[in-house]
Amino acid sequence: MKKDFSALTFSEKERICESIFFNNGPYWHLYTDGTKMQNLFCNQEEFRTGMWSLATSLYLCKRVRGLTFELMTNHIHLIVAGQKEECIRVFELFNARLKNIFAKTDKKIDWSQFKMEILPIESLQALRNEIIYANRNAFVANPAYTPNSYPWGGGCAYFCPWLQHLNTSPLGKLKIKIQRSLLHTRDVLAFSDLLEVGSLPFIPSFCDIKLGESMFRDARSYFNSLTRNAEAFSQIASRLKDTIFLTDEELYSVICSHISKEYSVKTPSQLSAQQKVDTARYMHFGYNASNQQLRRMLRLDLAILEELFP
């Protein structure tokens, strides 16, 4: 009799994850630089356009499997499995579709700044961290969201049993006029099996959420990783040249841990002026803490911080 997965030991679960990892690669983190790109997705209609453009691009590239993604206002994250050239092709299709759709609007966009970078993901733990990092992106940037409530990314589909209860419909069963309106193209035949829900593409129908989930031992290990890996997030942010990657609450926790070890105090209010400055340097260079974050948490004068970190 096959052993219940939930009854497996930690080591047994880890071996299964490792096997799945090695049998489904290579893996990549594909992203664009939001510090250079203007705001692209500024309202629900534009985000919906981005979702359908990404869905159709992944759907056409059958040899590429998306594990998760996050569409942000001025950049994207996409974690994929497949050969590098084919993964790049996904972005090229996505980019071309966006250009074509936005060209029909009054919005002026400098597409020269919408450039893709692609980085390899070479270990199971690294892949876990990259999936978590992508799924946290909107949560870090906007306090209105959690990693599993942001509607424009794959995180909301991770370990969510309620997905099976959604009333989805194959795109091909909708009226042709509606299909063309959603996809912004007359050529809709190739996407007839893509699932739609509430005028949005159903994420598991174009993104292999099950494969992404299988990289984690279970739902608990995934959930625990969402807010407990500041060091890993720091390394990924450095690799991607991201600016903010921790929320205020997470950053404050890192500060308290650091000053407890370094100065044997529990709160920033107990630090001397010099210790506050030294802690600010540590947080700025190690965790990309902004001057405003440091001002709020260390109660340092903004003028001092701007002189330290212009």
Side-chain angles (χ1 to χ4, degrees):
M1 182 181 294
K2 188 175 180 181
K3 194 172 182 180
D4 179 14
F5 186 82
S6 63
L8 298 178
T9 66
F10 179 97
S11 297
E12 289 172 329
K13 289 181 179 180
E14 197 69 5
R15 280 196 295 271
I16 291 173
C17 292
E18 288 279 1
S19 176
I20 295 171
F21 173 83
F22 285 117
N23 289 329
N24 289 279
Y27 306 91
W28 310 89
H29 189 154
L30 188 156
Y31 66 99
T32 61
D33 187 350
T35 65
K36 297 179 180 178
M37 184 63 186
Q38 70 188 87
N39 287 348
L40 179 59
F41 306 116
C42 298
N43 54 52
Q44 287 202 1
E45 182 56 37
E46 290 174 349
F47 271 110
R48 187 177 293 111
T49 293
M51 289 283 284
W52 281 109
S53 297
L54 181 61
T56 52
S57 300
L58 276 167
Y59 197 77
L60 289 174
C61 298
K62 301 296 187 183
R63 295 183 181 179
V64 176
R65 282 173 291 175
L67 277 66
T68 195
F69 66 95
E70 200 95 333
L71 300 185
M72 301 293 288
T73 302
N74 56 12
H75 69 283
I76 70 164
H77 290 277
L78 180 59
I79 311 298
V80 288
Q83 295 304 311
K84 184 176 183 179
E85 296 75 15
E86 294 173 342
C87 294
I88 292 173
R89 178 61 178 157
V90 171
F91 179 79
E92 290 174 341
L93 287 171
F94 176 64
N95 193 16
R97 284 180 175 273
L98 287 180
K99 286 181 179 178
N100 182 57
I101 295 169
F102 278 100
K104 300 172 185 177
T105 71
D106 295 330
K107 190 167 184 173
K108 304 300 180 184
I109 298 171
D110 179 6
W111 291 102
S112 67
Q113 300 301 324
F114 196 60
K115 296 178 181 178
M116 177 211 70
E117 299 286 345
I118 185 167
L119 296 174
I121 305 171
E122 297 175 338
S123 71
L124 173 61
Q125 189 56 52
L127 179 57
R128 288 169 173 166
N129 291 339
E130 301 276 353
I131 289 172
I132 292 289
Y133 188 89
N135 288 351
R136 280 170 45 91
N137 213 241
F139 157 70
V140 172
N142 191 332
Y145 297 106
T146 69
N148 61 356
S149 70
Y150 187 64
W152 318 113
C156 62
Y158 266 65
F159 297 101
C160 291
W162 49 261
L163 286 179
Q164 63 185 308
H165 302 298
L166 293 179
N167 186 22
T168 62
S169 174
L171 197 63
K173 290 192 174 181
L174 302 179
K175 293 180 179 180
I176 289 291
K177 184 179 180 180
I178 296 176
Q179 294 181 51
R180 289 172 173 170
S181 173
L182 293 174
L183 300 183
H184 294 275
T185 180
R186 295 185 64 81
D187 303 321
V188 297
L189 185 60
F191 310 107
S192 59
D193 291 333
L194 192 60
L195 297 182
E196 172 269 345
V197 58
S199 297
L200 288 171
F202 183 55
I203 292 171
S205 72
F206 68 89
C207 198
D208 197 339
I209 298 298
K210 290 299 182 185
L211 179 59
E213 290 177 340
S214 69
M215 299 301 163
F216 298 87
R217 291 182 297 276
D218 45 41
R220 179 188 294 166
S221 69
Y222 169 79
F223 181 80
N224 285 339
S225 298
L226 284 170
T227 57
R228 297 186 180 182
N229 214 346
E231 293 293 341
F233 302 150
S234 173
Q235 293 169 10
I236 295 172
S238 177
R239 210 164 72 118
L240 274 56
K241 299 181 176 62
D242 261 358
T243 50
I244 299 174
F245 56 90
L246 295 178
T247 65
D248 280 8
E249 291 80 5
E250 291 169 334
L251 206 62
Y252 186 77
S253 178
V254 173
I255 287 176
C256 289
S257 176
H258 170 70
I259 63 177
S260 175
K261 294 175 184 176
E262 194 72 17
Y263 306 114
S264 299
V265 299
K266 293 183 178 180
T267 65
S269 62
Q270 296 174 281
L271 296 173
S272 69
Q274 185 57 51
Q275 287 171 341
K276 286 184 178 182
V277 169
D278 292 340
T279 300
R281 287 195 177 99
Y282 175 80
M283 297 304 300
H284 173 83
F285 293 111
Y287 294 90
N288 283 6
S290 69
N291 286 351
Q292 289 292 348
Q293 286 178 314
L294 294 173
R295 178 189 64 80
R296 291 193 294 270
M297 295 176 198
L298 295 174
R299 295 188 178 180
L300 277 169
D301 191 279
L302 187 59
I304 293 174
L305 291 165
E306 289 178 343
E307 184 176 343
L308 287 170
F309 318 117

